[in-house]
Amino acid sequence: MFSFKEYSQEILTTIILILVLIALRIIVAKLIRRYASTSQLLEHRTNLVIKYIHLLMNILVMISLIIIWGVETKDIFITVSSIATVIGVAMFAQWSILSNITSGMILFFSFPFRIGDTIKIHDKDFPIEAEIEDISAFHVNLKTKDGEKIIFPNNLLLQKGISIMPVQYEEKEFFD
């Protein structure tokens, strides 16, 4: 029969761990939002990064809870290795998804260009000069001077040489 006295230490540790998780999620979200506001990054990109970091924190807490509740180490290794095998096979087929998400995170924290910038992607087979319309977790939306819309994967954006083109203002006469 289940006894609170028998598992009081595990229950108390679980409650403390959950409270720490909640506090860390709030603190991390505030720190990322502060960084994003000082760097003038978009809100939806900030929310995406927060979501990824919260997912990582939740996974770490789940692993901690498994250890706290005394699941045997060999059982943990068997379960984790089975899950890792399934995920590994699935991700091997879709490695570009993980690569694009990772690249999106890198672009968020070391963001060399912004939405509205005109960039030139140095690719010998298919050079592109276009304006950045949007940056998402997986790809960047570009628009050329001819109005052509290009969806460019984040991982390729980090692999290619990029030039940020200077802003060209049209000279217009102004009348009073």
Side-chain angles (χ1 to χ4, degrees):
M1 189 99 214
F2 179 77
S3 168
F4 284 110
K5 290 181 182 180
E6 186 177 342
Y7 294 104
S8 63
Q9 184 175 359
E10 289 87 355
I11 292 170
L12 181 63
T13 308
T14 301
I15 291 170
I16 291 171
L17 186 63
I18 291 172
L19 292 175
V20 167
L21 172 67
I22 293 169
L24 278 176
R25 285 176 64 128
I26 292 169
I27 291 168
V28 166
K30 285 184 179 184
L31 288 173
I32 291 172
R33 287 186 200 286
R34 185 177 303 152
Y35 172 79
S37 68
T38 60
S39 301
Q40 300 173 350
L41 299 174
L42 293 176
E43 182 69 23
H44 76 276
R45 294 194 63 230
T46 303
N47 291 336
L48 192 63
V49 169
I50 290 171
K51 185 167 61 169
Y52 291 154
I53 292 175
H54 284 177
L55 178 65
L56 176 65
M57 290 169 64
N58 290 341
I59 290 170
L60 292 175
V61 165
M62 290 301 293
I63 292 170
S64 299
L65 287 174
I66 289 170
I67 293 169
I68 288 170
W69 283 92
V71 177
E72 291 190 29
T73 309
K74 76 172 188 165
D75 294 338
I76 293 172
F77 287 131
I78 290 171
T79 304
V80 169
S81 66
S82 299
I83 292 170
T85 303
V86 170
I87 291 173
V89 168
M91 290 309 286
F92 181 73
Q94 297 297 327
W95 70 270
S96 63
I97 292 174
L98 184 59
S99 176
N100 282 320
I101 290 173
T102 305
S103 298
M105 294 285 283
I106 291 169
L107 286 174
F108 178 80
F109 285 109
S110 64
F111 202 65
F113 39 79
R114 302 193 186 291
I115 292 175
D117 284 350
T118 300
I119 61 170
K120 185 176 189 177
I121 301 172
H122 303 285
D123 186 355
K124 68 178 183 170
D125 296 328
F126 189 61
I128 299 171
E129 185 171 335
E131 180 182 340
I132 299 174
E133 286 190 324
D134 190 24
I135 302 171
S136 68
F138 299 102
H139 59 271
V140 175
N141 295 332
L142 302 170
K143 186 175 184 180
T144 64
K145 291 178 184 177
D146 300 331
E148 179 183 8
K149 292 191 177 205
I150 300 172
I151 312 268
F152 204 81
N154 285 340
N155 61 349
L156 291 180
L157 199 62
L158 288 180
Q159 294 173 9
K160 305 287 182 188
I162 306 282
S163 295
I164 301 173
M165 306 305 288
V167 178
Q168 296 180 0
Y169 296 103
E170 293 180 24
E171 291 195 24
K172 297 181 181 177
E173 288 189 39
F174 293 98
F175 299 99
D176 287 335

